[in-house]
Amino acid sequence: MHARRNRFRFTSLIPLLALSLAAPAGAEWYQQQRDLMGTRVSVELWHEAADAAARCAGLAFAEIGRIESVMSTYLGASEISFINNNAAVAPVEISAEMDYLLRESLRFSELTGGAFDITYASVGHAYDYRAGKKPDDRTIAHGLAAIDYRHVELADGTVRFRHGGVRLDLGGIAKGYAVDRAAAVLQDCGIAEAMVSAGGDSRILGDRRGRAWMIGIRHPRDPAGIALRLPLANSAISTSGDYERFFIDAGERVHHIINPATGRSATRSWSATVTGPDAMTTDALSTSIFVLGAADGIALIERLDGIDAIVIDNHGKLHYSSGFESPANGG
Ligand code: AMP
Ligand code: MG
């Protein structure tokens, strides 16, 4: 499995190699992990001074923590919780950042024909994967009317719900956004080569001392296995899988990616991976493509510039967008 040739230009390899040989004493990779946004967040960066590395990584984690405090529905005092509690009653004034993320979410809903929909939570919040709890048919049928991104009205820095049952959750886009923001913080800190990952969402700044990063995609049915590896530089990658948060109920896998059309776990894919320029985009699209399934999902990706996808369907078969070529094709 190789990425399309024109994705990497190794013409720059020789000067970079010379540069790395000439790196100042003490220059090295620095890695730190923290638990944030309900997942393991990792920052890995190349630095020339150890104190700068720790300071820059600290700023990146602080930025992710800040975003969590605004965007998490698990935190009663977050801005998103305030919106959920009040926007059905009257328009709620929102921060510029929330306005941006809600607008982007609605844009992805339009783009994906509603496969991506932050109002999924109108039913989605009735699932508890840790407790193995799912809503009964009546609850789903009742909540389904509230799942529709068109119920979310944005105007003049406010948000309002057009339906009383609407609940929002940014779980399908906020981690990617946070990873992008953390990468921007690292860049402002003078870091040129880094990877920031939060669960299934990663953003890569630069490359790995003149080489690509090799990013493994988990095998969806073998927790220790890697389905394939992708070489990446200067880009983002997200994977959505039905193995991340799930329980088995009467032989059926109940997991955290909800088909907005049914209010139930999406069934067409085992996993969906998207590569692109930024992690907010790849995060939202990996969730979307997972819901759409291989045929519709990859057809959508083919219409988008600079974005590629690999879907593992519900039989375990891999499907690639045309930006990737399989080894069988001589790639
Ligand atoms: P990811 O792991 O990036 O695919 O995101 C999964 C998360 O996105 C879930 O845990 C939910 O918080 C949220 N989510 C689930 N279904 C949808 C959907 N259809 N549209 C948008 N967000 C979703
Ligand atoms: Mg995603």
Side-chain angles (χ1 to χ4, degrees), residues 135-176:
D136 59 28
D137 291 351
R138 258 191 75 231
T139 309
I140 292 176
H142 182 253
L144 213 47
I147 300 185
D148 189 335
Y149 63 93
R150 286 161 291 213
H151 292 325
V152 180
E153 186 181 311
L154 293 170
D156 308 321
T158 69
V159 61
R160 186 182 77 91
F161 299 158
R162 296 196 179 97
H163 185 289
V166 171
R167 288 292 173 276
L168 305 184
D169 192 303
L170 296 168
I173 192 168
K175 270 190 289 136

Coordinates of all heavy atoms in Angstrom, one line a residue, residues 135-176:
P135 N -31.0 3.1 23.8 CA -32.4 3.5 23.9 C -33.3 2.4 23.3 O -33.0 1.7 22.3 CB -32.5 4.8 23.1 CG -31.3 4.8 22.2 CD -30.2 4.0 22.9
D136 N -34.6 2.3 23.8 CA -35.5 1.4 23.2 C -36.1 2.0 21.9 O -35.9 3.2 21.6 CB -36.6 1.0 24.2 CG -37.4 2.2 24.7 OD1 -37.5 3.2 24.0 OD2 -37.9 2.1 25.9
D137 N -36.9 1.2 21.2 CA -37.4 1.6 19.9 C -38.3 2.9 20.0 O -38.2 3.7 19.1 CB -38.2 0.5 19.3 CG -37.3 -0.7 18.8 OD1 -36.1 -0.5 18.9 OD2 -37.9 -1.8 18.5
R138 N -39.0 2.9 21.1 CA -39.9 4.1 21.2 C -39.1 5.4 21.4 O -39.4 6.4 20.8 CB -40.9 3.9 22.4 CG -42.3 3.5 22.1 CD -43.2 3.6 23.2 NE -43.6 4.9 23.6 CZ -43.5 5.4 24.9 NH1 -43.0 4.7 25.8 NH2 -43.9 6.7 25.1
T139 N -38.1 5.3 22.3 CA -37.2 6.5 22.5 C -36.5 6.9 21.2 O -36.5 8.1 20.9 CB -36.2 6.1 23.6 OG1 -36.8 5.5 24.7 CG2 -35.4 7.3 24.0
I140 N -36.1 5.9 20.4 CA -35.4 6.3 19.2 C -36.4 6.9 18.2 O -36.2 8.0 17.7 CB -34.8 5.0 18.5 CG1 -33.6 4.5 19.4 CG2 -34.3 5.3 17.1 CD1 -33.0 3.2 18.9
A141 N -37.6 6.3 18.1 CA -38.6 6.9 17.2 C -39.0 8.3 17.6 O -39.1 9.2 16.7 CB -39.8 6.0 17.2
H142 N -39.1 8.5 18.9 CA -39.5 9.8 19.4 C -38.4 10.8 19.1 O -38.6 12.0 18.7 CB -39.8 9.7 20.9 CG -40.3 11.0 21.4 ND1 -39.5 11.8 22.3 CD2 -41.4 11.8 21.2 CE1 -40.1 12.9 22.6 NE2 -41.3 12.9 22.0
G143 N -37.1 10.4 19.4 CA -36.0 11.4 19.3 C -35.6 11.7 17.9 O -35.0 12.7 17.6
L144 N -35.9 10.8 17.0 CA -35.5 10.9 15.6 C -36.0 12.2 14.9 O -35.3 12.8 14.1 CB -36.1 9.7 14.8 CG -35.3 9.2 13.6 CD1 -33.8 9.0 14.0 CD2 -35.9 7.8 13.1
A145 N -37.1 12.7 15.3 CA -37.6 13.9 14.8 C -36.7 15.1 15.1 O -36.8 16.1 14.4 CB -39.1 14.2 15.3
A146 N -36.0 15.0 16.1 CA -35.1 16.1 16.5 C -33.7 16.0 15.8 O -32.9 17.0 15.9 CB -34.9 16.1 18.1
I147 N -33.4 14.9 15.2 CA -32.2 14.8 14.4 C -32.3 15.4 13.1 O -33.0 14.8 12.2 CB -31.7 13.3 14.3 CG1 -31.5 12.7 15.6 CG2 -30.4 13.3 13.5 CD1 -30.9 11.2 15.5
D148 N -31.8 16.6 12.9 CA -31.8 17.2 11.6 C -31.0 18.5 11.7 O -31.4 19.4 12.5 CB -33.2 17.5 11.1 CG -33.3 18.0 9.7 OD1 -32.2 18.6 9.2 OD2 -34.3 17.9 9.0
Y149 N -29.9 18.6 11.0 CA -29.1 19.8 11.2 C -29.8 21.1 10.8 O -29.4 22.2 11.2 CB -27.8 19.6 10.4 CG -28.0 19.5 8.9 CD1 -27.9 20.7 8.1 CD2 -28.3 18.3 8.3 CE1 -28.1 20.6 6.7 CE2 -28.5 18.2 6.9 CZ -28.4 19.4 6.1 OH -28.6 19.3 4.8
R150 N -30.9 21.0 10.0 CA -31.6 22.2 9.6 C -32.4 22.7 10.8 O -32.9 23.8 10.7 CB -32.5 21.9 8.5 CG -31.7 21.7 7.2 CD -32.5 21.0 6.1 NE -32.6 19.6 6.4 CZ -32.6 18.6 5.5 NH1 -32.5 18.9 4.2 NH2 -32.7 17.3 5.9
H151 N -32.5 22.0 11.9 CA -33.1 22.6 13.1 C -32.2 23.6 13.8 O -32.6 24.3 14.8 CB -33.4 21.5 14.2 CG -34.4 20.5 13.8 ND1 -35.5 20.8 13.1 CD2 -34.6 19.2 14.0 CE1 -36.3 19.8 12.9 NE2 -35.8 18.7 13.5
V152 N -30.9 23.6 13.4 CA -29.9 24.5 14.0 C -29.9 25.8 13.2 O -29.5 25.8 12.1 CB -28.5 23.9 14.1 CG1 -27.5 24.8 14.8 CG2 -28.6 22.5 14.8
E153 N -30.3 26.9 13.9 CA -30.3 28.2 13.2 C -29.2 29.1 13.8 O -29.2 29.4 15.0 CB -31.7 28.9 13.5 CG -31.9 30.1 12.7 CD -33.3 30.7 13.0 OE1 -34.3 30.0 13.0 OE2 -33.3 31.9 13.3
L154 N -28.3 29.6 12.9 CA -27.2 30.5 13.3 C -27.5 31.8 12.7 O -27.7 32.0 11.5 CB -25.9 30.0 12.8 CG -25.4 28.7 13.4 CD1 -24.2 28.1 12.6 CD2 -25.0 28.8 14.9
A155 N -27.5 32.9 13.6 CA -27.8 34.2 13.1 C -27.2 35.2 14.0 O -27.4 35.1 15.3 CB -29.3 34.5 12.9
D156 N -26.4 36.2 13.5 CA -25.9 37.3 14.3 C -25.2 36.8 15.6 O -25.4 37.4 16.7 CB -27.0 38.3 14.7 CG -27.8 38.7 13.4 OD1 -27.1 38.9 12.4 OD2 -29.0 38.8 13.5
G157 N -24.3 35.8 15.5 CA -23.6 35.4 16.7 C -24.5 34.7 17.7 O -24.1 34.6 18.9
T158 N -25.6 34.2 17.3 CA -26.5 33.4 18.2 C -26.8 32.0 17.6 O -26.7 31.9 16.3 CB -27.8 34.1 18.6 OG1 -28.6 34.1 17.4 CG2 -27.6 35.5 19.1
V159 N -27.2 31.1 18.4 CA -27.8 29.8 17.9 C -29.1 29.6 18.5 O -29.4 30.0 19.7 CB -26.8 28.6 18.2 CG1 -26.6 28.4 19.7 CG2 -27.3 27.4 17.6
R160 N -30.0 29.0 17.7 CA -31.4 28.7 18.2 C -31.8 27.3 17.6 O -31.4 27.0 16.5 CB -32.3 29.8 17.7 CG -33.8 29.7 18.3 CD -34.6 30.8 17.7 NE -35.0 30.5 16.3 CZ -36.2 29.8 16.0 NH1 -37.0 29.4 16.9 NH2 -36.5 29.6 14.7
F161 N -32.5 26.6 18.4 CA -33.0 25.3 17.9 C -34.4 25.5 17.4 O -35.3 26.0 18.2 CB -33.0 24.2 19.0 CG -31.6 23.9 19.5 CD1 -31.4 23.3 20.8 CD2 -30.4 24.1 18.8 CE1 -30.2 23.0 21.3 CE2 -29.2 23.8 19.3 CZ -29.1 23.3 20.5
R162 N -34.7 24.9 16.3 CA -36.1 25.1 15.8 C -37.0 23.9 16.3 O -38.2 23.8 15.9 CB -36.1 25.0 14.2 CG -35.4 26.2 13.6 CD -35.8 26.4 12.1 NE -35.1 27.5 11.5 CZ -34.0 27.5 10.9 NH1 -33.3 26.3 10.7 NH2 -33.4 28.5 10.3
H163 N -36.4 23.0 17.0 CA -37.1 21.8 17.5 C -36.7 21.6 19.0 O -35.5 21.7 19.3 CB -36.8 20.6 16.7 CG -37.6 19.4 17.0 ND1 -37.4 18.7 18.2 CD2 -38.6 18.8 16.4 CE1 -38.2 17.7 18.2 NE2 -39.0 17.7 17.1
G164 N -37.7 21.4 19.8 CA -37.5 21.3 21.3 C -36.6 20.2 21.7 O -35.9 20.3 22.8
G165 N -36.5 19.1 21.0 CA -35.7 17.9 21.4 C -34.3 17.9 21.0 O -33.5 17.0 21.2
V166 N -33.8 19.0 20.3 CA -32.5 19.0 19.7 C -31.4 19.0 20.8 O -31.4 19.8 21.8 CB -32.3 20.2 18.8 CG1 -30.8 20.3 18.3 CG2 -33.2 20.0 17.6
R167 N -30.4 18.1 20.7 CA -29.2 18.1 21.5 C -28.0 18.1 20.5 O -28.0 17.3 19.5 CB -29.1 16.9 22.4 CG -30.1 17.0 23.6 CD -29.7 18.1 24.5 NE -30.7 18.2 25.6 CZ -31.8 19.0 25.4 NH1 -32.1 19.6 24.3 NH2 -32.7 19.0 26.4
L168 N -27.0 18.9 20.7 CA -25.8 18.9 19.9 C -24.6 18.2 20.6 O -24.5 18.2 21.8 CB -25.3 20.4 19.6 CG -26.4 21.3 19.0 CD1 -25.7 22.7 18.7 CD2 -27.0 20.7 17.8
D169 N -23.8 17.6 19.7 CA -22.5 17.0 20.2 C -21.5 17.2 19.2 O -21.7 16.8 18.0 CB -22.7 15.5 20.6 CG -21.6 15.0 21.4 OD1 -20.4 15.1 20.9 OD2 -21.8 14.5 22.5
L170 N -20.4 17.7 19.5 CA -19.3 18.0 18.6 C -18.2 16.9 18.5 O -17.2 17.1 18.0 CB -18.7 19.4 18.9 CG -19.6 20.6 18.8 CD1 -19.0 21.8 19.4 CD2 -20.0 20.8 17.3
G171 N -18.6 15.7 19.1 CA -17.6 14.6 19.2 C -17.1 14.2 17.8 O -16.0 13.5 17.8
G172 N -17.8 14.5 16.7 CA -17.3 14.0 15.4 C -16.4 15.0 14.7 O -15.9 14.8 13.6
I173 N -16.1 16.2 15.4 CA -15.4 17.2 14.7 C -14.4 17.9 15.7 O -13.4 18.5 15.2 CB -16.3 18.2 14.0 CG1 -15.5 19.2 13.1 CG2 -17.1 19.0 15.0 CD1 -16.4 20.0 12.2
A174 N -14.7 18.0 16.9 CA -13.9 18.8 17.9 C -12.5 18.3 18.1 O -11.6 19.1 18.3 CB -14.7 18.9 19.2
K175 N -12.3 17.0 18.1 CA -11.0 16.5 18.3 C -10.1 16.9 17.2 O -8.9 17.3 17.4 CB -11.0 14.9 18.5 CG -11.2 14.5 19.9 CD -10.9 13.0 20.0 CE -12.1 12.2 19.4 NZ -11.6 11.1 18.6
G176 N -10.6 16.8 16.0 CA -9.8 17.2 14.8 C -9.5 18.7 14.9 O -8.3 19.1 14.6

